[in-house]
Amino acid sequence: MSTLTPERDAEAPVQVTVGQQVDGHVAPRHRWTRGLPGVLLLVVGLAGAFLAHRLFDQVGVLTWSVGLGVVAANIGLVPQAAQAGLGAVTKRLLRVGIVLLGFSVSFAAVGALGLPLLGVIAGSLVSTLLFTTWLGRRLGLSPARALLLGTGTAICGASAIAAMEDTAEADEEDVTVSIAMVTLFGSLALVLLPLLQAPLGLTDLQFGIWTGASVHEVGQVVAAASPAGAAVVATAIVVKLTRVLMLAPVVATVSAVRRMRGPAVTDSKRPPIVPLFVLGFIACAAVRTTGVIPAEALGWITHLQVAALGAALFGMGASVRIASLFKRSGAVMTASAAGSLFIGLVTLGGVLLVSQ
C-alpha cells in the first residue's frame, strides 16, 4: 500500500471552517460575514427611527436616526461584532442617499422661480455659508466642524452636512454636533416664523418664499408653512428644493478649493474635484426633470432615500460618545444661532426687495 510523502501532504488542500483554529490562529470570516452584524444593527436602528417618527412626527426620521445611534452607543447597545465594518457600510449608504436625493429636485421648477428670486436664494446661501463658517472658526471651532455647521445652516440641514463630511475631512462627532444644532434652531424657526407673518405684514407668497429660503430641513419647512395653507407649502417646498439643488455645486466648489490649497500630492492620491456621488445627484435631478419617472415611483425613491440616509446617520451616531458633544458647546450654539438668525434676516430682506 502506497503512502503519502511529506511533500505530497504539503500540497494537499486543507479544508478549514470559519472559526476553526489552524496553527493557533482562527480562520478569518468572509468580508460580508464580518459586516453582517453592522448591517443588522443599522436595520434595527432605522426601524426604531421610523417608529419614533410615527409617534412624534415633529422630529424627522434623520434626526431620530442620529439621536438613537448616539443613545445606543452610549448605553452599551452596540455589540463589538457590529462595530467591524460599520464605518464602510455607513459611508456607502450615505452616498446612495445623497444620490437619490437628486430625484426630489426638478430643474424646471427651479427655473420657474425667476432670476431675481434665484439670486436671493443663491446669495443668501453663499453668504450664510461663509459667515457661519467664519464665525465658527473665530469662536474656536475646528475647520471641519465650522464648515459642516455653515453647510447645514445654509443649504438643507442633515443631508447637506452628510454630503460635506468627506470634503470637510470631518469625523462622526463633527457630523452629530452639527446635525443637533441645525435641528435645534430649525425647530425654533418652524415655531417662530408663522408667528411673525402678520406682524411683518407678509403676504402668503412672501411668507412661503421666506420659509423655504431660511428654514433648515425640508420637513421643518413644511411644518412652518402649513399654518398658511397648501399653496404656501407648495411655494416653500420649491424654494427649499432650490437650495437642495445648490448642494452639488457647493460641495464641488469647496472640494476644488481645498484641493488647490492642500499640499502637493501625486494625482493618484488626490481626491476628485467633483465627488462621484455629487455627479450622481445631478444626474438624478436631470432624470427627474425629464418627467419620465411616474409619481408613484418617485414616492418609492423618496422612501429609499430617507432609509439610506437614516441608516447611515444611525451608524454615524453609533460612533459618538456623549461626553464629546459637550466640548465647547457654547461656541457651537453661538455660531449656529448666529447663522440661523443671519439667513433669516438676509432672506427676509431679499424677499421684500424682489417683491416690490
Side-chain angles (χ1 to χ4, degrees), residues 27-73:
R29 296 177 182 271
H30 293 292
R31 181 175 298 176
W32 69 267
T33 306
R34 292 198 303 269
L36 184 58
V39 173
L40 293 176
L41 175 67
L42 295 182
V43 171
V44 172
L46 179 64
F50 273 108
L51 177 59
H53 176 64
R54 287 183 64 88
L55 296 175
F56 304 96
D57 59 2
Q58 297 89 345
V59 180
V61 172
L62 302 187
T63 302
W64 276 118
S65 294
V66 70
L68 291 178
V70 172
V71 171

Side-chain angles (χ1 to χ4, degrees), residues 90-108:
T90 294
K91 285 187 177 295
R92 290 190 181 95
L93 287 172
L94 182 61
R95 284 161 173 71
V96 170
I98 296 299
V99 169
L100 294 179
L101 183 64
F103 283 109
S104 65
V105 183
S106 168
F107 292 130

